[in-house]
Amino acid sequence: MKIILTGSLGNISKPLAEELIAIGHQVTVISSNAEKQTTIESMGAVPAIGSLKDDYFLTEVFSNADAVYTMVPPDFTAQDPLAHYFSIGNSYAKAINESGIKRVVNLSSWGAHLPKGTGIIEGSYHVEKIFAELADVSITHLRPTSFYYNMFHYMDMIKTSGIMGANFGGKDKVVMVSPLDIAAAAAEELVIIKKGIRYVASDERKCSEIASILGKAIGIPNLQWLTFSDQKVQDSMESHGVPLPIAIKLVELNSAIHNGLLREDYDLHPPQNMGKVKLEEFAKEFAFAYHQK
């Protein structure tokens, strides 16, 4: 099959490309960074250098392909984070429509069933709605849960304060996922024809358990995950240079974890099988990065 991947050589797209190439598919990787071209070629893929907001470019790349994997790269500098999703979502939709592509696997998110109350994930909701207007296209929306590598954001707090903390924590349960497990699910979906939603998850733990496991891995066995107020977390983000619109959306997202809003639909349609990468395995990666920092 001729398969087009967006996401450059990111945490999901790179292992996805490697897996597809290994089983004999012809893979094209779209990247906005021309410096990635040589690396993409060395993997055995075809590079396509251009912008996801350029629907003419996307239409040309999508044409004559059998399937495409779409995702919206996050932009944590955007003054209007939802406009970023609308722009790329509409660009994808126009290119899918005009190229005649028939199979799309789209990276969405848990919480994308809701139009509001989920912070930045609202963008994924709107992209799903944009894609719903496409006719004669088989679309599967992958809805991964919270990425393991979100935990990297707590490293500075651990080093300076000896704790983890957010406006969720303690007994709150978090469903986490490895990019490797998302890539494996995407690889499965790209070669079949069906429509629908697929949740992808690797492990589920209480925040207190997460802190304990990560703490033991880095040599702080009594590490705790504290719960702070929304305002305290927002103030902290702003003091660290996070733009106000992004800080507001991130606090809202965290709050949706705390109050259970984010996982409502996930709990009704959990994955048949959890992914292979468990928290204890990620903890080794976390510890390596922590001690290198």
Side-chain angles (χ1 to χ4, degrees), residues 110-111 113 143-145 175-176 199-204 262-271 274:
W110 69 331
H113 64 294
R143 288 183 178 174
T145 55
V175 188
M176 299 161 288
Y199 284 96
V200 188
S202 303
D203 206 347
E204 178 177 4
L262 199 62
R263 63 180 300 155
E264 283 181 338
D265 192 67
Y266 169 88
D267 285 335
L268 295 175
H269 309 95
M274 298 291 271

Side-chain angles (χ1 to χ4, degrees), residues 18 26 40 60 85 93 160 167 186 205 208 232 253 268 289:
E18 291 171 338
Q26 181 183 341
I40 293 170
E60 182 179 2
Y85 280 86
T160 58
N167 53 318
R205 304 292 179 94
S208 56
K232 183 172 183 177
L253 169 58
L268 295 175

Side-chain angles (χ1 to χ4, degrees), residues 150-217:
N150 291 341
M151 300 299 160
F152 290 141
H153 298 305
Y154 296 100
M155 285 186 178
D156 286 339
M157 183 183 295
I158 296 172
K159 285 181 175 290
T160 58
S161 304
I163 59 169
M164 298 175 68
N167 53 318
F168 68 100
K171 296 182 180 180
D172 293 336
K173 287 187 176 181
V174 181
V175 188
M176 299 161 288
V177 69
S178 165
L180 297 179
D181 288 329
I182 301 171
E188 291 176 1
E189 295 293 334
L190 281 163
V191 298
I192 61 176
I193 299 297
K194 71 174 186 178
K195 298 181 180 181
I197 304 295
R198 177 174 174 176
Y199 284 96
V200 188
S202 303
D203 206 347
E204 178 177 4
R205 304 292 179 94
K206 294 178 182 178
C207 290
S208 56
E209 293 179 277
I210 296 171
S212 177
I213 290 169
L214 296 183
K216 289 177 182 177

